[in-house]
Amino acid sequence: MRIKNCLTVMLLLVLAVSCSKDVLVPEPDVNFDENFLKSASPQLKIAVMSDLHYFDRTLLPTTEAGVEALQAYMAQDPKLLDLSTYILDQVIADLLAEHPNVVLIPGDLTKDGEKISHQSLAKLFKKLTNAGIKVFVIPGNHDINNPESYSFSSLAPTETITADEFASIYYEFGYKNSIRDENSLSYIHKINGKLWVLGIDACKYAQNTTGPIVSGEIKAETMEWIKSNLAEAKEKNIQVLAMVHHGVAEHYVGQNQLDPGFVVDNQVQVAKDLSDAGIQVVFTGHYHANDVTAVIVGDKTLYDVETGSLVSWPSPYRLIQLSGNKMFIDTRNVTAVAATLPGGMDFVTYSMLFHQTCLDGYFNYVLQLKYGVPPMSAATLAPWFRDAIMAHYAGDEVFGPVPQGQYAQLYQLSQLLAGALGSLYTDLPVADNQLSLQWK
Ligand SMILES: [Fe+2]
């Protein structure tokens, strides 16, 4: 999520709201384990982590100028980029202990598509597969053909990757022995006769010019490919774990107007098509919020299970038990990393202060310079918006930190600002962090 852009649009618009074709590679799956289904039965354990924005340590600054440049960057795009490697190391250690059967990673694997970050990530994922854990990735909008791929070590652009290189680097993590879509990096991997993974590539990296395009679309040809290939799964009652970087539903009322580009283009039709194809749950990322939203499609429900970013507050990941048509979702937050933080601070405190400081500064700037709010009022309002976004990031948000009396005053001052705040604080059904889902 690009805070600077998104919030500008949010504040402006809230008033208006109230490879080759279909190839099934014949090579035998060396990872296929005959005991997999047995060991997973009656429950399959799934982990989901998203928006890793991994930034290889060789790209971190080595000079004072580099440190200043990185700090300036992080202030306008609050991600814990300098700690991304430590955070992921911790999550991988956790997953090795938890030992899920499958790990799903719905995109934004890297900060901005740096080749060296992708290559390092693939080595790290190997630790999981070596332990018998299957890892599946798809690209996010930052991961491919990204003109903003940059090194704070050399203070110069660094090499990014092509779509073909993505499929090559992550061959072991989704593309091996999979049915490939010829129009995108989407794939279907048949883990066994009862369980498939559908990775959907909805990113527009082929159109990138000066930066990564935020919005996403599932091409018509790709959707046709999904429908035709999932017909067998639907007929044979095969469970399909689907993931796509972009949301398939709004995660708060007015998100598309307030902050365009985070829900897939043509979302109503996409949700209907996926539901008709037999999908009940889609794992998403992109907005950096830990939020689950239910979409009613005819007499069915499609759940968009968005997982927050590992480098954004509060660094969540999911542990899920799948048993037949029931899914039990738990959320864990990273609470410690093996890095020495300024002043000996613990990770949670450091992360909270980092996000609070960056977001305070941004809202003060926007409220005063773009919306004419007097400095004293902006100083009061900025923490309210900061807290609202951080509450949405964490999920299960409750409208509490803003005193009701003061909110009424804000409403009188500006329906625009009050509406934006209320929308961010209104958690749409269902619960976000600990919940169970069941479908017919
Ligand atoms: Fe992201």
Side-chain angles (χ1 to χ4, degrees):
M1 175 182 182
R2 183 64 61 93
I3 291 289
K4 187 171 181 179
N5 296 338
C6 92
L7 293 176
T8 300
V9 175
M10 178 180 85
L11 292 172
L12 273 171
L13 296 180
V14 72
L15 258 187
V17 175
S18 27
C19 114
S20 58
K21 61 179 180 184
D22 294 5
V23 176
L24 175 57
V25 181
E27 180 188 348
D29 184 354
V30 294
N31 288 326
F32 186 84
D33 177 3
E34 289 292 340
N35 293 320
F36 179 80
L37 188 57
K38 284 187 210 156
S39 67
S41 181
Q43 293 191 329
L44 181 84
K45 199 167 178 180
I46 304 161
V48 185
M49 55 175 159
S50 191
D51 294 74
L52 285 50
H53 288 290
Y54 189 87
F55 196 50
D56 191 78
R57 289 180 196 182
T58 61
L59 302 172
L60 289 172
T62 53
T63 63
E64 204 171 306
V67 170
E68 284 178 13
L70 179 59
Q71 285 179 343
Y73 181 91
M74 288 164 61
Q76 59 85 39
D77 188 7
K79 298 178 184 132
L80 294 165
L81 296 172
D82 52 345
L83 295 178
S84 67
T85 57
Y86 296 96
I87 294 169
L88 188 60
D89 283 347
Q90 184 60 51
V91 174
I92 286 181
D94 292 349
L95 294 184
L96 288 171
E98 290 285 344
H99 209 280
N101 305 94
V102 171
V103 177
L104 302 177
I105 311 178
D108 274 4
L109 308 175
T110 58
K111 173 185 173 288
D112 273 306
E114 313 81 27
K115 188 173 196 171
I116 193 166
S117 297
H118 282 298
Q119 291 170 329
S120 297
L121 265 183
K123 286 180 190 162
L124 282 172
F125 294 159
K126 196 81 182 160
K127 289 185 179 180
L128 296 171
T129 53
N130 285 345
I133 300 167
K134 296 178 186 298
V135 177
F136 297 94
V137 308
I138 51 163
N141 57 305
H142 285 269
D143 288 326
I144 295 171
N145 187 29
N146 190 337
E148 294 183 354
S149 184
Y150 187 81
S151 168
F152 288 91
S153 172
S154 63
L155 291 173
T158 190
E159 188 178 4
T160 185
I161 63 168
T162 64
D164 285 346
E165 285 174 313
F166 186 92
S168 171
I169 291 170
Y170 297 107
Y171 180 65
E172 302 276 342
F173 313 111
Y175 294 94
K176 183 177 181 179
N177 298 337
S178 292
I179 303 171
R180 293 278 309 273
D181 172 31
E182 65 176 345
N183 294 296
S184 73
L185 285 171
S186 304
Y187 62 86
I188 293 170
H189 187 89
K190 300 179 178 180
I191 291 179
N192 54 45
K194 295 284 185 186
L195 184 71
W196 296 1
V197 171
L198 167 63
I200 306 172
D201 169 19
C203 298
K204 299 180 178 176
Y205 40 78
Q207 300 167 47
N208 287 349
T209 52
T210 56
I213 293 174
V214 175
S215 63
E217 68 170 343
I218 301 176
K219 296 171 187 160
E221 301 87 344
T222 297
M223 187 56 87
E224 285 306 311
W225 171 87
I226 291 170
K227 287 180 188 173
S228 65
N229 280 283
L230 289 195
E232 180 191 346
K234 193 174 179 182
E235 183 190 323
K236 296 180 179 173
N237 212 19
I238 293 167
Q239 183 74 51
V240 180
L241 302 173
M243 63 173 168
V244 60
H245 185 59
H246 296 73
V248 296
E250 285 188 316
H251 285 269
Y252 57 84
V253 172
Q255 184 180 15
N256 284 331
Q257 286 77 27
L258 301 172
D259 207 355
F262 289 89
V263 180
V264 72
D265 295 353
N266 203 14
Q267 67 178 85
V268 173
Q269 189 62 45
V270 166
K272 182 178 186 314
D273 287 345
L274 293 177
S275 181
D276 288 349
I279 302 292
Q280 290 90 15
V281 179
V282 185
F283 296 100
T284 68
H286 197 26
Y287 202 66
H288 292 204
N290 218 50
D291 190 276
V292 184
T293 297
V295 191
I296 306 301
V297 184
D299 62 347
K300 295 183 188 149
T301 303
L302 177 69
Y303 295 98
D304 179 335
V305 179
E306 179 192 353
T307 299
S309 167
L310 285 185
V311 295
S312 294
W313 175 259
S315 299
Y317 63 96
R318 312 263 196 192
L319 286 174
I320 298 168
Q321 294 282 355
L322 176 66
S323 180
N325 60 348
K326 295 178 187 168
M327 185 175 276
F328 303 90
I329 301 178
D330 190 16
T331 298
R332 308 277 173 88
N333 297 331
V334 176
T335 57
V337 297
T340 302
L341 300 172
M345 249 184 284
D346 65 273
F347 175 71
V348 175
T349 304
Y350 178 81
S351 176
M352 181 184 285
L353 289 175
F354 168 78
H355 286 93
Q356 286 178 336
T357 303
C358 293
L359 292 166
D360 262 352
Y362 174 70
F363 279 114
N364 258 301
Y365 168 83
V366 167
L367 290 167
Q368 289 183 61
L369 295 188
K370 292 195 181 293
Y371 300 97
V373 176
M376 281 185 66
S377 299
T380 300
L381 294 178
W384 295 5
F385 282 93
R386 170 201 77 191
D387 289 347
I389 285 222
M390 289 176 70
H392 181 63
Y393 277 1
D396 297 320
E397 50 271 39
V398 176
F399 194 90
V402 181
Q404 293 293 332
Q406 290 186 37
Y407 182 75
Q409 287 177 16
L410 172 62
Y411 189 82
Q412 286 183 340
L413 174 73
S414 167
Q415 290 183 30
L416 182 154
L417 295 175
L421 198 67
S423 186
L424 278 169
Y425 267 125
T426 303
D427 187 17
L428 298 173
V430 291
D432 299 328
N433 287 303
Q434 277 76 35
L435 68 155
S436 58
L437 304 176
Q438 186 169 0
W439 52 90
K440 295 175 186 171

